[in-house]
Amino acid sequence: MNLGQGLAKIGNTHAVRLGKKIVELIIEPEKQLVSAMTGAKILVALKNEALKGDVSAQLSLGRMYFRGDGVAQDTTEAVTWYRKAAATGYGAVQEFLGTLYDNGDGVPQNYAEAVTWYRQAANQGYIGAQYGLAVMYEKGNGVPPDDVAAYKWLILATSKPKTKFYAVALHAMAILAKRMTLDDIARAGREASVWTARS
């Protein structure tokens, strides 16, 4: 290597280091700023649409705040948006809210509130909500204990064998049946049949 090649190599190394420093000090922060500005614009647009009643925007905001995705995690804000979406009759969100209140996940545990949301989703045929409502009746959480009502909701929760609740609901039915009379089991079956006929 001659002196010219050596100086060129040193110069190239210096240029590479300088280029990396420029990227590190100027370009990356600028990209982050643009990304943050874009994120802020998206958040403002979502909030505007959500306030107009757009359920998709309400759900997106709920998810973003619940997970801390692009915003500071804030379960109170998340539940506010989820409740708005649930108020439109969106059963999946009603079931989710029932689960949050049942477990006290990000909200104060409130069985009566869980029952309210589970019931709304259960009446739309959401299997998880039907199972959740059955458990509430069986334990007397948020409602007076009622084995017949619990058994009815368990029957309904087993109406779709390929769900994750099927086996657990069948197991719960077997345990519950041990302390029920045959008349009570038959009454629960009739109530489940009436419910199914109305749906």
Side-chain angles (χ1 to χ4, degrees):
M1 173 182 342
N2 64 31
L3 183 59
Q5 290 172 327
L7 288 174
K9 185 174 182 175
I10 291 171
N12 286 341
T13 303
H14 180 69
V16 168
R17 272 192 252 140
L18 182 60
K20 286 182 181 177
K21 216 38 155 172
I22 289 170
V23 167
E24 182 182 309
L25 295 174
I26 298 171
I27 296 173
E28 282 304 317
E30 189 173 291
K31 280 184 182 177
Q32 290 173 1
L33 179 61
V34 168
S35 177
M37 288 171 53
T38 303
K41 286 180 183 177
I42 290 170
L43 186 61
V44 167
L46 273 175
K47 281 188 177 179
N48 286 338
E49 291 305 308
L51 290 170
K52 292 177 189 174
D54 184 313
V55 177
S56 295
Q58 293 165 345
L59 290 172
S60 293
L61 286 168
R63 274 191 296 274
M64 289 170 68
Y65 281 107
F66 193 76
R67 296 177 182 162
D69 188 15
V71 295
Q73 188 175 18
D74 184 342
T75 53
T76 302
E77 186 72 9
V79 169
T80 297
W81 291 111
Y82 282 139
R83 288 176 74 97
K84 287 180 184 300
T88 68
Y90 200 108
V93 179
Q94 293 167 339
E95 181 180 319
F96 181 67
L97 283 169
T99 303
L100 291 182
Y101 283 107
D102 187 2
N103 298 324
D105 186 8
V107 295
Q109 191 172 45
N110 184 331
Y111 293 134
E113 190 74 14
V115 167
T116 297
W117 292 113
Y118 278 152
R119 187 180 316 282
Q120 289 180 45
N123 281 324
Q124 293 181 62
Y126 283 83
I127 302 293
Q130 291 171 340
Y131 176 76
L133 191 55
V135 171
M136 301 305 266
Y137 275 113
E138 189 271 328
K139 292 182 177 180
N141 289 341
V143 289
D146 184 339
D147 288 347
V148 172
Y151 203 84
K152 165 194 148 182
W153 288 110
L154 287 170
I155 290 169
L156 294 168
T158 61
S159 65
K160 295 180 183 166
K162 294 188 180 189
T163 67
K164 67 180 180 180
F165 296 100
Y166 182 75
V168 73
L170 278 178
H171 181 71
M173 285 173 70
I175 292 170
L176 192 55
K178 290 179 183 177
R179 68 177 193 225
M180 295 174 68
T181 67
L182 290 177
D183 286 342
D184 285 343
I185 293 170
R187 188 166 54 122
R190 285 190 303 274
E191 288 180 13
S193 293
V194 168
W195 185 92
T196 302
R198 282 188 299 190
S199 304

